[in-house]
Amino acid sequence: MTTTPGPDLDETRWQAWNAMALPEGFHAEIVEGFIEVSPTGHHRHSKVGNRLRRELSRFLDGESKPYVVNNALKVIHERQSWIPDAVVCPEDDDRFVTDDGLGLAARGVRLVAEVVSPGQSEERDRVRKRRAYARAGIPVYVLVDDQDGGGSVTVLAQPAPEEADYRLSHRVPYGAEAIIPEGPAKGFVIGEAITGPPRNART
C-alpha cells in the first residue's frame, strides 16, 4: 500500500499564515519557523519608528537615489515573512515582488530596521530576527533598542548567511550617533533627533 505524501511543515505553516485573518492592530510574521502574532507597537514605538522613516526618506530624497522607505511591507524569504518597522528598497521594486504578490523578496531589500518594544519582541528582534535577516542576506539591519538600559542603536552590516550573523556590528547608546556604513543609506545618521535622549536622562 502506498500513501500520498502530504505537504511538508514549512508549506503547511505558510498556508496557515497566508489564511490568517487578524483583527485590526495585529500582524503575523514567520520567524525561524514560528508564526508570531504581535500587537501594533505602543505610542513611543510608533513615535520613534515614524521619526526614523521620515528622516530616512528625507535623506534618500536628498541624495536623489532611486530608493524608498516602506513600513507595513512583508519581506519574504524561503517561506518566512517579516514586517520590519522600516524597509529600504528600490523605488521600482516590481521585479522583486513575490509571484503570489504577498510581499517583497528579501533579495530586493537593502536595509531593514526594527524598534524594540517591551516583551517578547526584545528577544525576537535582538536574536532571532538578527539571524533570520543575516541568513536572507539583507545587507544592513538597524536595531533601535528602546529597552536596552538608557536605549541603544545597533547597526549590523555585511551579512554572513552561512553563519546566520553579520560580520560588522556597531552599537552606540542613545545620545551618541550611529552611522549607516554602506548601501543607499550610507552616511545616514541615527541620533537623538530620532531616538530622543537617553531613557534615564533627567528632564
Side-chain angles (χ1 to χ4, degrees):
M1 179 179 177
T2 60
T3 59
T4 302
D8 64 23
L9 182 58
D10 284 344
E11 180 63 24
T12 301
R13 185 185 300 114
W14 181 260
Q15 291 175 10
W17 169 80
N18 196 20
M20 293 178 77
L22 298 175
E24 187 175 349
F26 289 84
H27 66 263
E29 301 175 288
I30 304 176
V31 183
E32 293 195 322
F34 293 90
I35 296 177
E36 301 192 17
V37 177
S38 305
T40 301
H42 55 61
H43 177 263
R44 180 168 170 80
H45 175 279
S46 298
K47 191 172 183 178
V48 174
N50 286 338
R51 287 174 183 160
L52 176 62
R53 288 187 295 271
R54 181 178 65 243
E55 295 305 317
L56 193 47
S57 291
R58 287 176 178 169
F59 178 85
L60 293 173
D61 288 344
E63 295 295 306
S64 299
K65 295 172 180 172
Y67 292 91
V68 293
V69 182
N70 286 294
N71 70 313
L73 175 70
K74 294 181 178 73
V75 177
I76 310 291
H77 179 71
E78 294 182 350
R79 290 296 192 257
Q80 293 193 78
S81 172
W82 315 296
I83 307 176
D85 291 310
V87 177
V88 173
C89 59
E91 187 170 19
D92 180 13
D93 62 2
D94 289 348
R95 67 191 184 279
F96 299 118
V97 175
T98 57
D99 292 340
D100 53 18
L102 288 175
L104 205 66
R107 61 187 173 82
V109 172
R110 299 295 174 260
L111 177 150
V112 291
E114 301 283 3
V115 180
V116 180
S117 291
Q120 293 182 348
S121 74
E122 295 180 32
E123 192 268 345
R124 181 180 66 233
D125 292 344
R126 293 171 182 165
V127 180
R128 291 189 292 115
K129 279 195 171 181
R130 175 174 176 158
R131 291 193 299 243
Y133 291 152
R135 286 190 190 105
I138 294 175
V140 179
Y141 177 27
V142 176
L143 186 67
V144 181
D145 197 338
D146 226 34
Q147 311 307 313
D148 180 16
S152 69
V153 178
T154 302
V155 177
L156 300 150
Q158 299 176 11
E162 66 286 351
E163 297 169 17
D165 205 356
Y166 287 85
R167 296 185 181 94
L168 177 64
S169 176
H170 181 63
R171 176 186 171 277
V172 300
Y174 281 12
E177 293 183 340
I179 302 174
I180 305 301
E182 57 189 56
K186 181 178 180 179
F188 177 70
V189 176
I190 304 170
E192 283 195 36
I194 292 170
T195 66
R199 295 297 302 274
N200 56 3
R202 295 183 181 274
T203 56

